[in-house]
Amino acid sequence: GDSVTQMEGPVTLSEEAFLTINCTYTATGYPSLFWYVQYPGEGLQLLLKATKADDKGSNKGFEATYRKETTSFHLEKGSVQVSDSAVYFCALRLNNNDMRFGAGTRLTVKP
Amino acid sequence: KAGVTQTPRYLIKTRGQQVTLSCSPISGHRSVSWYQQTPGQGLQFLFEYFSETQRNKGNFPGRFSGRQFSNSRSEMNVSTLELGDSALYLCASSYTGTGQAEQYFGPGTRLTVT
């Protein structure tokens, strides 16, 4: 069935390091893809999205490109900050509005 | 514009009881979805309501039910609570309810079943 697989965490980086969190998906149709971020004690916040192949979503220095040929939507940031420490979820949304989330990747950025 | 609100934020119940959680979507949003988040299972889709009709349902037992009112506010009910129902319950709203529409999440209701 339709699903999302993202790299297991936790991921620990030093401030200003480069970040990549891998995400691949399986879907029968043409899903929209999302990255959400969850800070401690809070709900999910939309970080970025892409709705069709080759679209690039970007926000707050984070980027992800919808790659249909590799069914991937990897999250990247060139220089992470301590404030980026959170749990990141990759998700896909089918046309019937069913949304599937990855397991989440916990990122810790140390000063 | 006010965000998605959920009440209550925290709840403690005992096994066998029932519970009702409430979600108020962003003004103008007609789609409301509910999710269960647990450390073991992650985020799992419960159901989605659009214009007072349940449009999609995840793989949860019938003890989990919901409804949506004409003002788009939604409630979720869990009957005969089990210890395994302890979780963060998240509500999300979107405007059109289509696949491309962004979902905006509330802060969640933390349910503890003892």
Side-chain angles (χ1 to χ4, degrees):
Chain A
D2 304 305
S3 64
V4 175
T5 302
Q6 60 181 103
M7 66 184 282
E8 293 185 20
V11 174
T12 303
L13 297 173
S14 298
E15 206 164 24
E16 299 184 4
F18 184 85
L19 168 71
T20 300
I21 301 178
N22 289 339
C23 170
T24 57
Y25 68 90
T26 303
T28 51
Y30 300 94
S32 295
L33 301 174
F34 303 83
W35 276 101
Y36 282 86
V37 59
Q38 186 176 33
Y39 298 101
E42 298 183 12
L44 275 68
Q45 297 176 24
L46 178 65
L47 184 58
L48 52 84
K49 71 173 184 178
T51 58
K52 61 182 187 297
D54 300 326
D55 265 3
K56 177 186 278 189
S58 60
N59 185 27
K60 299 180 182 179
F62 291 89
E63 291 183 340
T65 301
Y66 190 140
R67 301 282 188 204
K68 190 173 175 216
E69 63 275 14
T70 54
T71 61
S72 64
F73 193 55
H74 304 321
L75 181 68
E76 296 183 337
K77 186 175 185 183
S79 176
V80 293
Q81 306 301 311
V82 172
S83 58
D84 293 327
S85 297
V87 181
Y88 293 82
F89 293 90
C90 183
L92 67 82
R93 190 167 181 187
L94 306 168
N95 287 332
N96 64 356
N97 217 36
D98 189 355
M99 198 146 184
R100 306 292 171 89
F101 287 85
T105 301
R106 181 176 299 279
L107 170 67
T108 301
V109 180
K110 296 189 173 181
Chain B
K1 190 185 263 192
V4 178
T5 57
Q6 293 186 244
T7 56
R9 291 293 311 276
Y10 302 91
L11 207 47
I12 300 174
K13 292 286 189 178
T14 56
R15 275 181 298 177
Q17 288 186 315
Q18 75 162 16
V19 67
T20 299
L21 312 182
S22 180
C23 171
S24 293
I26 291 172
S27 178
H29 285 193
R30 294 165 62 191
S31 170
V32 174
S33 297
W34 288 89
Y35 298 87
Q36 182 195 64
Q37 186 179 24
T38 60
Q41 299 298 317
L43 271 158
Q44 293 184 286
F45 172 73
L46 279 155
F47 31 66
E48 184 235 352
Y49 285 86
F50 184 80
S51 293
E52 302 179 64
T53 301
Q54 186 181 88
R55 194 160 62 170
N56 288 297
K57 190 177 192 309
N59 190 27
F60 277 81
R63 299 186 297 108
F64 291 82
S65 63
R67 59 177 175 170
Q68 186 180 33
F69 302 94
S70 58
N71 62 359
S72 293
R73 189 177 71 84
S74 178
E75 288 182 346
M76 189 192 92
N77 184 276
V78 187
S79 62
T80 319
L81 283 166
E82 300 176 0
L83 294 179
D85 297 333
S86 295
L88 180 67
Y89 290 88
L90 294 167
C91 159
S93 75
S94 65
Y95 178 63
T96 63
T98 66
Q100 297 184 6
E102 296 177 17
Q103 284 194 329
Y104 295 84
F105 282 78
T109 294
R110 173 76 61 185
L111 171 64
T112 302
V113 182
T114 61

